[in-house]
Amino acid sequence: MAKSADTAPRFPWKIAAPFGALALIAGAYSVFWFTLAGNLEEELLTYKGRVQESGLKADWRTHEMHGFPYRMGVTLKEATLTRDRGKTAWTLALPEISAQMLSYRPGHFIVDVKGEQDLTLNGPEGERRFISKAETLWGSYVARKEGIGRLAVEVKDWTASGLSEDSGTFIGSASAGSLQLHTRPAPDPEATEEDAPPLPRTYDLALKATDIAWDFGPVTGWLEPEIALIEAQMRGYEVPERLPADLDTGARAWAASGGHIAISDLQLLWGPIDMKGQGELTLDAKGRPSGRIEASFGKVEDLIARLVETGIVKKESAPVIFAGAGIISALQGKPQDGRMHLPLAFHEGVVFLGPVSIGRLEPLY
């Protein structure tokens, strides 16, 4: 006897429908992911081995797309970045570099560099090669519709050494415990809209580096080649929109256009120097740093003792200089915080701490 319609088994729509919907969503997402990955790969290949408008040329031996389903990533093996313009040509070789992003935020990249970085410079000083390595080396970049976006870089336990390829002479080595760099287009303070364009050719920069050391010659004769801490927040004006042909050309053009750096917060721990300050710097007509930093110093006795020890200040003049510095500090009208407030001035290649000349600076170009 046939079963009636009421007693026949029914299809479990209440159970199957949600799973079917999930399957459709998963299928649609898979199509979206692989389509986006294909477009990204196609765009990436347009840069391979071709010189860009900036003069940069990127190349690599192999690449691999990965990350499905949570992220979208690409890894380049045996990658090189080359620029052959200006006085000095250079090539940076990286054994492996990978970039990842969320598929729904394709403009935000996380980049990770592994292995040794091999930098070769070929210029008037001959061919020089620098090998560096870091325990951690990664960056984050958030693109904008136009212009340069927001960049962050973090490096830990970095070491480097240099060699002259022409003579085989060892140039020297350097190291750093950590390095953090953040930069972004400076927002317009008068803008009322959240996505308003930033100030033109103006960028904010934050930098922090610890335990920096080098052995290829002191920057100045009376300070050891070791910096415990340098931390700064600043804003750069008239920053070029394109990569200059070389450092000399770029620095000269930047200074000629009225470029300068406004430092809102600076801290430096370097040997006997315990300094905090803020001010403005630029380059003069001969390419030397020029400007003034309103600074405060701790342990001024140690600083003056070092200046006496290295012959910059005569021993018999030290008490007068210390007393004079104290008077200048008192006249600054700064808080009585136990620190001595003195201007640090850069004028015609000479560095002045208050009234005392403490060193000279060579032109950058």
Side-chain angles (χ1 to χ4, degrees):
M1 183 175 178
K3 293 182 178 180
S4 66
D6 293 337
T7 58
R10 296 181 179 181
F11 189 80
W13 288 107
K14 292 183 178 180
I15 298 176
F19 285 100
L22 288 175
L24 287 174
I25 293 173
Y29 177 78
S30 298
V31 172
F32 165 76
W33 191 97
F34 284 103
T35 300
L36 187 60
N39 293 338
L40 178 62
E41 183 177 22
E42 184 177 344
E43 184 177 353
L44 181 67
L45 290 175
T46 62
Y47 290 93
K48 180 176 171 60
R50 298 182 181 181
V51 179
Q52 305 302 312
E53 186 179 357
S54 62
L56 293 172
K57 182 178 75 171
D59 209 344
W60 55 89
R61 186 176 65 84
T62 62
H63 72 276
E64 177 188 1
M65 306 298 297
H66 54 79
F68 180 81
Y70 303 108
R71 291 181 175 84
M72 182 170 297
V74 58
T75 296
L76 307 180
K77 297 291 184 69
E78 298 181 22
T80 59
L81 188 64
T82 304
R83 194 164 193 259
D84 189 9
R85 286 187 184 177
K87 297 179 182 179
T88 301
W90 56 266
T91 298
L92 176 64
L94 305 171
E96 180 176 322
I97 178 171
S98 62
Q100 295 188 65
M101 64 181 182
L102 297 173
S103 56
Y104 55 86
R105 293 189 64 187
H108 185 185
F109 300 90
I110 304 295
V111 180
D112 186 32
V113 178
K114 296 181 179 179
E116 293 183 340
Q117 300 89 52
D118 189 341
L119 175 64
T120 301
L121 305 178
N122 203 328
E125 298 180 358
E127 183 175 342
R128 293 162 294 163
R129 186 181 181 191
F130 300 88
I131 305 293
S132 64
K133 189 174 183 180
E135 184 69 25
T136 301
L137 174 53
W138 71 272
S140 169
Y141 183 74
V142 181
R144 293 174 52 240
K145 292 181 180 180
E146 296 181 3
I148 302 173
R150 189 167 71 244
L151 173 69
V153 177
E154 182 172 359
V155 183
K156 291 184 179 179
D157 296 329
W158 174 81
T159 58
S161 60
L163 179 71
S164 171
E165 293 287 281
D166 297 332
S167 63
T169 306
F170 179 69
I171 297 174
S173 62
S175 63
S178 66
L179 171 64
Q180 294 178 336
L181 173 69
H182 299 265
T183 182
R184 65 169 186 175
D188 187 346
E190 298 182 359
T192 56
E193 300 178 2
E194 186 176 349
D195 58 348
L199 294 173
R201 303 184 65 181
T202 306
Y203 291 84
D204 290 333
L205 175 68
L207 169 71
K208 182 178 181 180
T210 63
D211 300 326
I212 308 166
W214 62 93
D215 63 8
F216 47 83
V219 174
T220 180
W222 59 276
L223 287 171
E224 54 267 57
E226 296 178 3
I227 298 176
L229 171 69
I230 179 169
E231 186 172 4
Q233 294 183 27
M234 62 193 84
R235 174 167 289 185
Y237 294 88
E238 299 301 324
V239 179
E241 297 178 352
R242 296 182 180 179
L243 195 64
D246 51 54
L247 179 61
D248 291 0
T249 303
R252 196 186 304 272
W254 176 73
S257 66
H260 63 281
I261 298 174
I263 304 170
S264 58
D265 189 14
L266 172 66
Q267 183 177 6
L268 177 64
L269 300 177
W270 185 2
I273 296 178
D274 173 7
M275 185 184 80
K276 297 179 180 179
Q278 54 277 323
E280 289 195 3
L281 294 176
T282 185
L283 296 175
D284 64 17
K286 294 185 177 180
R288 301 167 300 194
S290 177
R292 178 185 174 103
I293 295 176
E294 300 298 334
S296 69
F297 294 86
K299 304 177 181 178
V300 179
E301 299 90 341
D302 294 344
L303 177 56
I304 293 180
R306 177 66 64 85
L307 295 175
V308 171
E309 179 184 335
T310 52
I312 296 175
V313 171
K314 294 182 180 180
K315 186 176 182 180
E316 55 272 20
S317 302
V320 177
I321 291 175
F322 184 78
I327 294 173
I328 294 175
S329 177
L331 294 175
Q332 300 292 312
K334 301 294 183 179
Q336 299 299 315
D337 53 5
R339 301 176 64 86
M340 189 169 288
H341 296 264
L342 296 170
L344 184 66
F346 305 82
H347 181 66
E348 295 184 349
V350 182
V351 184
F352 293 92
L353 176 60
V356 181
S357 168
I358 61 173
R360 301 190 66 86
L361 295 174
E362 296 295 327
L364 296 181
Y365 52 82

